[in-house]
Amino acid sequence: MNHEALLTDLYELTMLQAYFDEGMQDRAVFELFVRRLPEARNFLLVAGIEQALDYLECLRFTPDELGWLADSGRFSSAFLQSLRDFRFSGDVWAMREGTPCFANEPILRVEAPIGEAQFVESRLINLIHFSTMVASKAARCVLAAQGRLLVDFGLRRAHGGEAGLLAARASHLAGFAGTATVIAGQRFGIPLFGTMAHSYIEAHAREADAFARFAASQPGNVTLLIDTYDTELAAHRVVELAPALKARGVRLAAVRLDSGDLAAHARAVRAILDDGGLTDVRLFASGNLDEYRIAALLAAGAPIDGFGVGTMLTTSGDAPSLDMVYKLQRYAGVPRRKRSEGKATWPDAKQVWRQRDAHGTPREDEITLADEIRSPSESTSLLAPVMRSGRRVAPRESLDALRQHAADKLMHLPPALRALDPPAQPYPVTISPRLRALAEELDREPH
Amino acid sequence: MNHEALLTDLYELTMLQAYFDEGMQDRAVFELFVRRLPEARNFLLVAGIEQALDYLECLRFTPDELGWLADSGRFSSAFLQSLRDFRFSGDVWAMREGTPCFANEPILRVEAPIGEAQFVESRLINLIHFSTMVASKAARCVLAAQGRLLVDFGLRRAHGGEAGLLAARASHLAGFAGTATVIAGQRFGIPLFGTMAHSYIEAHAREADAFARFAASQPGNVTLLIDTYDTELAAHRVVELAPALKARGVRLAAVRLDSGDLAAHARAVRAILDDGGLTDVRLFASGNLDEYRIAALLAAGAPIDGFGVGTMLTTSGDAPSLDMVYKLQRYAGVPRRKRSEGKATWPDAKQVWRQRDAHGTPREDEITLADEIRSPSESTSLLAPVMRSGRRVAPRESLDALRQHAADKLMHLPPALRALDPPAQPYPVTISPRLRALAEELDREPH
């Protein structure tokens, strides 16, 4: 991952120069949140905080970048000089990755000198938006799959390379077993899965030869793709080949279906394999899948053991963006409130408190001012300090630990939120009386 | 841009090892194309070819990557040894960026030893898919905007950093004037645009102070954001400030609207500015815009001079993926055809011929075998050689030249394709009789 300082919007730099020129360097509080959830999302699953902190820790302008900015003629030399030592020196609070969250809840809070806090807006949103969007989509697939194996197959139609890499991480965090994207194995230790392409089959004169040769090259764990010509015919070929493969020590793990009526093919293929004694060979399905198709296949009783989810996962196809923003809430000790039509925000630094019932199921969230306290026996605060003066307050958590956290939180969600359809009643998120009073007070002020 | 070799699907590596083990190294022809267009796209605009060629030219495995692959235990040492010298040595034909294309038309054709041609599949699709998708969306905005200034504002909700960078390039190629994404200025020389954020206004006690100070810091070309509190009130403040700004040499270029009923605000603000003598200050609008909203605003007579298009552009919000694939069409001199249900392909290396009328307007495309020739007086072939033995055949074209090409081709599209609604008749793409006969012949063969 590259966190170039110039991966930002021009206005971040022009505002930084204006703050510099004005000598404005008081501390500001910004919060990142989603204004409203997409229709087809009952909750969001927080992700991308690690990448955001990486960015904040390593942010600096290289001499090349400073030279380019100077050549652009847009900036004063005094300002450019100040960028040489530009670092993020602020404090950050965040929700833990894998935590379900809702509209208007701060996911991340930044407190820093205003120039620093402002400048990081574009890339913070860029990172947390994408990972949270994909983790939220992936969580729905996980809930729909009812324990079946899920694998991210979506690199090719992800929006660029970084999207492919981060989608693998976000979906694994949300409960996917792994990914086909090799670099995600290298960078994050995510388990890798892969089969074979139709082209490999077609490059051989006979399908059965392709199966035998691929198995010989990868004897440890073979998944054969059986839909290139005729799915059921190919399943028979697998049965015929099985004794020879076994004799050569090949472990035939699964066959993959990738086209046609997957439920019908799965039933037919399962019967062929079972009749041929291959009861332990699993069925893996792919091809334009999402949570709805997975749920429909399982509801139809399709004997499928695992799913590859590609494009619809890594592009979050039915909700390819979230209304995520990063807004100034306090400057120089004074609460601030954006009041644009339809885009007003809750002012000042805030906290989110989640009440759970005796089984650990969330009942209600309350958004409060940051200094409000709720009884720990009744509520948990979701925003915790993660960075102090520009440095992480704790070593980074393992992806496995975050994944476990996500699994636990998903399991405890109310059943209406775990469903694919919208709940009859939205999950209740209330605003504390003090916060509401502050907002009303600010609305009466001149500007 | 980083073109790591491990930014690929695992099966590309396992198939490469299988081809290595089998000694299969005959030449293969793969073609990249879109199986069908999204409902809301009357054509696609080819983009991302430059990035694809960059990838092919610089593809290699680093010692670190080879070490990681060895540690994974999945690959033989003989195979890993062979990867040390792995390079792309093939030939490539491609459509020129900025060319409109349609379903089933090869956009890129790769001919290389099968392992090389197969391995590059994942990243080639990843690159060309995204840029073509965004250029196609951008082209619709350009057609809707009828000559108004368009700026890419979409970095923050693009899917990761590479998506933000490449979206700026693809939209500029399609006719956007520029982008807010600074790194796109640095890497590609794309003109940069920017204004100010609401947070900047809110950090000042009074809106008028924020306007005055921002203008002082950026006197050359100032755009003021006027919707933080009350849009029309802010417009009056701009009029009041104008004489003082002018006296200090500030060039007040535009005001920006970002919320509410943009048409109504635009009319009211235009009147306020005109009454105040600021007839040369332009109106720039942003806020959840796409081609439909731009068309509606202009149809309503909104006096808006420019548009910032963000999320819907860089995520191609209504069509966030294309059904783009990369398929084997020939191996060892023998045409191949994938026959999976609903996913059959036209076999062998192909060419696309475009017939145009006397005004240069395309009338019909014909997909032929690569060695078929059509009269140059009637048709133009769209696929041209761009790489020979792994090296570009010509210096890279300037983005300006590609942008000019795109503008010319968009201008000459039939009116029904230039509209936002689907055409009554789809653009005709025919299959040559020889190609059709070959496909039927292959279907009769055993496999």
Side-chain angles (χ1 to χ4, degrees):
Chain A
M1 196 114 50
N2 298 301
H3 291 307
E4 290 98 336
L6 297 190
L7 190 57
T8 191
D9 287 305
L10 180 63
Y11 83 173
E12 310 291 9
L13 281 166
T14 51
M15 286 188 288
L16 196 54
Q17 170 158 292
Y19 290 134
F20 175 83
D21 289 350
E22 297 172 61
M24 284 174 69
Q25 43 187 317
D26 283 321
R27 286 177 85 78
V29 173
F30 280 78
E31 287 175 346
L32 181 146
F33 57 99
V34 172
R35 283 192 283 223
R36 60 194 79 81
L37 264 50
E39 268 180 50
R41 298 290 181 275
N42 298 346
F43 62 92
L44 300 177
L45 201 68
V46 173
I49 304 296
E50 273 303 312
Q51 285 65 46
L53 299 183
D54 285 345
Y55 166 66
L56 294 176
E57 275 194 339
C58 73
L59 176 61
R60 56 211 59 200
F61 290 86
T62 66
D64 275 1
E65 291 166 341
L66 291 172
W68 185 83
L69 290 174
D71 291 345
S72 79
R74 294 175 182 271
F75 305 100
S76 70
S77 58
F79 170 64
L80 291 172
Q81 185 73 21
S82 77
L83 290 187
R84 283 196 194 183
D85 302 316
F86 184 83
R87 301 286 185 274
F88 179 78
S89 69
D91 303 335
V92 181
W93 289 256
M95 289 192 190
R96 192 174 176 203
E97 293 191 82
T99 300
C101 78
F102 302 93
N104 290 313
E105 297 182 348
I107 292 169
L108 183 101
R109 190 205 309 151
V110 170
E111 183 180 327
I114 191 163
E116 295 174 25
Q118 173 71 64
F119 180 80
V120 298
E121 173 188 41
S122 304
R123 181 63 165 158
L124 283 186
I125 298 177
N126 176 263
L127 286 167
I128 299 174
H129 172 267
F130 179 70
S131 286
T132 296
M133 181 184 77
V134 172
S136 304
K137 181 71 171 174
R140 291 170 61 84
C141 296
V142 168
L143 293 170
Q146 303 174 44
R148 268 75 171 184
L149 182 87
L150 289 172
V151 178
D152 158 32
F153 271 13
L155 168 62
R156 64 190 57 195
R157 298 204 195 106
H159 294 183
E162 189 172 76
L165 171 63
L166 294 181
R169 180 183 182 275
S171 55
H172 186 55
L173 194 155
F176 272 53
T179 179
T181 304
V182 181
I183 198 169
Q186 183 204 30
R187 299 285 177 89
F188 297 124
I190 298 172
L192 296 181
F193 293 80
T195 61
M196 66 208 303
H198 297 100
S199 51
Y200 179 86
I201 310 266
E202 294 165 68
H204 292 77
R206 297 181 173 280
E207 191 179 41
D209 292 347
F211 290 169
R213 291 185 180 166
F214 189 75
S217 174
Q218 296 284 324
N221 190 336
V222 174
T223 296
L224 297 174
L225 175 65
I226 63 171
D227 78 319
T228 306
Y229 304 109
D230 178 305
T231 299
E232 284 73 24
L233 187 57
H236 283 293
R237 285 176 174 154
V238 171
V239 169
E240 286 160 26
L241 268 174
L245 294 181
K246 192 172 179 185
R248 279 155 47 199
V250 171
R251 179 171 169 262
L252 182 57
V255 295
R256 173 180 157 215
L257 312 170
D258 188 49
S259 56
D261 179 339
L262 292 174
H265 284 311
R267 276 190 220 100
V269 168
R270 183 74 270 160
I272 294 165
L273 297 179
D274 288 352
D275 286 352
L278 300 183
T279 54
D280 57 342
V281 172
R282 308 286 86 189
L283 259 61
F284 190 84
S286 59
N288 208 17
L289 296 180
D290 62 10
E291 68 270 38
Y292 299 104
R293 291 201 63 202
I294 291 170
L297 286 166
L298 295 182
I304 297 174
D305 306 291
F307 299 94
V309 190
T311 305
M312 293 300 283
L313 171 72
T314 57
T315 66
S316 184
D318 61 337
S321 64
L322 303 174
D323 192 12
M324 184 180 282
V325 294
Y326 176 84
K327 293 296 172 194
L328 179 71
Q329 312 292 24
R330 166 184 282 264
Y331 176 62
V334 182
R336 311 280 165 161
R337 185 178 205 200
K338 179 180 177 186
R339 287 180 250 173
S340 310
E341 290 171 66
K343 295 182 176 179
T345 63
W346 294 106
D348 214 347
K350 292 180 287 296
Q351 179 57 278
V352 182
W353 295 87
R354 181 158 293 169
Q355 287 181 37
R356 295 193 177 85
D357 68 16
H359 306 291
T361 297
R363 266 201 311 229
E364 181 179 316
D365 288 1
E366 185 186 14
I367 304 177
T368 70
L369 291 167
D371 63 359
E372 292 189 69
I373 298 293
R374 295 293 178 262
S375 157
S377 65
E378 289 171 12
S379 289
T380 317
S381 59
L382 299 186
L383 286 165
V386 292
M387 190 171 263
R388 197 65 83 189
S389 304
R391 306 292 292 270
R392 278 179 167 83
V393 298
R396 67 185 65 207
E397 286 191 274
S398 74
L399 189 50
D400 280 346
L402 296 171
R403 195 164 180 261
Q404 188 53 52
H405 172 67
D408 180 61
K409 295 306 171 197
L410 285 179
M411 189 176 70
H412 283 97
L413 277 183
L417 296 188
R418 292 165 50 90
L420 298 186
D421 293 330
Q425 299 289 333
Y427 180 79
V429 178
T430 65
I431 306 297
S432 83
R434 272 186 60 201
L435 176 52
R436 195 173 289 279
L438 174 65
E440 288 166 6
E441 185 189 321
L442 291 179
D443 279 353
R444 288 191 294 269
E445 287 183 2
H447 40 84
Chain B
M1 194 113 49
N2 297 301
H3 291 306
E4 289 99 335
L6 299 189
L7 190 57
T8 189
D9 288 304
L10 180 62
Y11 82 174
E12 310 290 8
L13 281 166
T14 50
M15 286 187 289
L16 195 53
Q17 169 158 291
Y19 290 134
F20 175 81
D21 289 351
E22 298 170 62
M24 285 173 68
Q25 43 187 317
D26 282 323
R27 286 177 85 80
V29 173
F30 280 77
E31 287 175 347
L32 182 144
F33 58 99
V34 173
R35 282 191 283 223
R36 62 193 78 80
L37 264 51
E39 268 180 51
R41 298 291 180 275
N42 297 346
F43 62 91
L44 300 176
L45 202 68
V46 173
I49 303 295
E50 272 304 311
Q51 285 66 45
L53 299 183
D54 285 346
Y55 166 66
L56 294 176
E57 275 193 339
C58 74
L59 175 61
R60 55 211 61 198
F61 290 86
T62 67
D64 275 2
E65 290 166 340
L66 291 172
W68 185 82
L69 289 174
D71 291 346
S72 77
R74 293 176 182 271
F75 305 100
S76 70
S77 57
F79 170 64
L80 291 172
Q81 186 72 24
S82 77
L83 291 187
R84 285 195 193 185
D85 302 317
F86 184 83
R87 301 285 185 274
F88 179 78
S89 69
D91 302 336
V92 181
W93 290 255
M95 288 191 190
R96 192 174 175 202
E97 293 192 81
T99 301
C101 77
F102 301 93
N104 290 312
E105 296 182 348
I107 293 170
L108 182 100
R109 189 205 310 154
V110 170
E111 182 179 328
I114 191 163
E116 295 174 25
Q118 173 71 64
F119 180 80
V120 298
E121 173 188 39
S122 303
R123 182 63 164 158
L124 282 186
I125 297 176
N126 176 264
L127 287 166
I128 299 174
H129 172 267
F130 179 70
S131 286
T132 296
M133 181 183 77
V134 172
S136 304
K137 180 72 172 174
R140 290 169 63 82
C141 297
V142 169
L143 293 171
Q146 302 174 45
R148 269 72 170 186
L149 182 86
L150 289 173
V151 179
D152 157 32
F153 271 12
L155 168 63
R156 63 191 58 195
R157 298 204 194 107
H159 293 184
E162 189 173 76
L165 170 63
L166 294 182
R169 180 182 182 275
S171 55
H172 186 56
L173 193 155
F176 272 53
T179 179
T181 303
V182 181
I183 197 168
Q186 181 203 32
R187 300 286 178 87
F188 298 123
I190 298 172
L192 296 181
F193 293 81
T195 62
M196 64 207 306
H198 298 99
S199 51
Y200 180 87
I201 311 266
E202 293 165 68
H204 293 77
R206 296 179 173 281
E207 191 178 40
D209 293 347
F211 289 169
R213 291 185 180 167
F214 189 76
S217 174
Q218 296 285 325
N221 191 335
V222 174
T223 297
L224 297 174
L225 174 65
I226 62 171
D227 77 321
T228 305
Y229 305 109
D230 179 303
T231 298
E232 284 73 24
L233 188 56
H236 283 293
R237 286 177 175 153
V238 171
V239 169
E240 286 160 25
L241 268 173
L245 294 181
K246 192 171 181 185
R248 281 156 45 202
V250 170
R251 179 170 170 261
L252 183 56
V255 295
R256 172 179 159 216
L257 312 170
D258 188 50
S259 56
D261 179 338
L262 293 173
H265 285 310
R267 275 188 222 101
V269 168
R270 182 74 270 160
I272 293 165
L273 296 179
D274 289 351
D275 286 352
L278 301 183
T279 52
D280 57 343
V281 173
R282 307 287 88 192
L283 260 59
F284 190 82
S286 59
N288 209 18
L289 296 181
D290 63 10
E291 68 270 39
Y292 298 104
R293 291 202 62 201
I294 292 170
L297 286 166
L298 296 182
I304 298 174
D305 307 290
F307 299 94
V309 189
T311 306
M312 292 300 284
L313 171 71
T314 58
T315 66
S316 184
D318 62 336
S321 64
L322 304 174
D323 192 11
M324 184 181 282
V325 293
Y326 176 83
K327 294 296 172 193
L328 178 71
Q329 311 293 23
R330 167 184 281 265
Y331 177 61
V334 181
R336 312 279 165 161
R337 184 179 203 199
K338 180 179 175 187
R339 286 180 250 172
S340 310
E341 292 172 64
K343 295 182 175 179
T345 63
W346 295 106
D348 213 346
K350 293 181 285 297
Q351 179 58 277
V352 182
W353 295 87
R354 180 158 294 168
Q355 287 181 38
R356 296 193 176 84
D357 68 16
H359 306 290
T361 296
R363 266 202 310 227
E364 180 179 319
D365 288 2
E366 183 186 17
I367 304 177
T368 70
L369 291 167
D371 63 359
E372 294 188 67
I373 299 294
R374 296 293 177 263
S375 156
S377 66
E378 288 171 13
S379 289
T380 319
S381 58
L382 299 186
L383 287 164
V386 291
M387 188 171 265
R388 198 63 84 188
S389 304
R391 306 295 290 270
R392 278 179 167 81
V393 298
R396 69 184 65 208
E397 286 191 275
S398 74
L399 189 49
D400 279 346
L402 296 171
R403 193 164 180 263
Q404 189 52 53
H405 173 67
D408 179 62
K409 295 307 169 195
L410 285 178
M411 190 177 69
H412 282 97
L413 276 183
L417 297 187
R418 291 165 50 91
L420 299 186
D421 292 330
Q425 299 290 331
Y427 180 79
V429 178
T430 64
I431 305 297
S432 82
R434 270 187 59 201
L435 176 52
R436 196 173 286 279
L438 174 65
E440 288 166 6
E441 182 190 324
L442 291 179
D443 280 353
R444 287 191 295 270
E445 285 186 3
H447 41 82

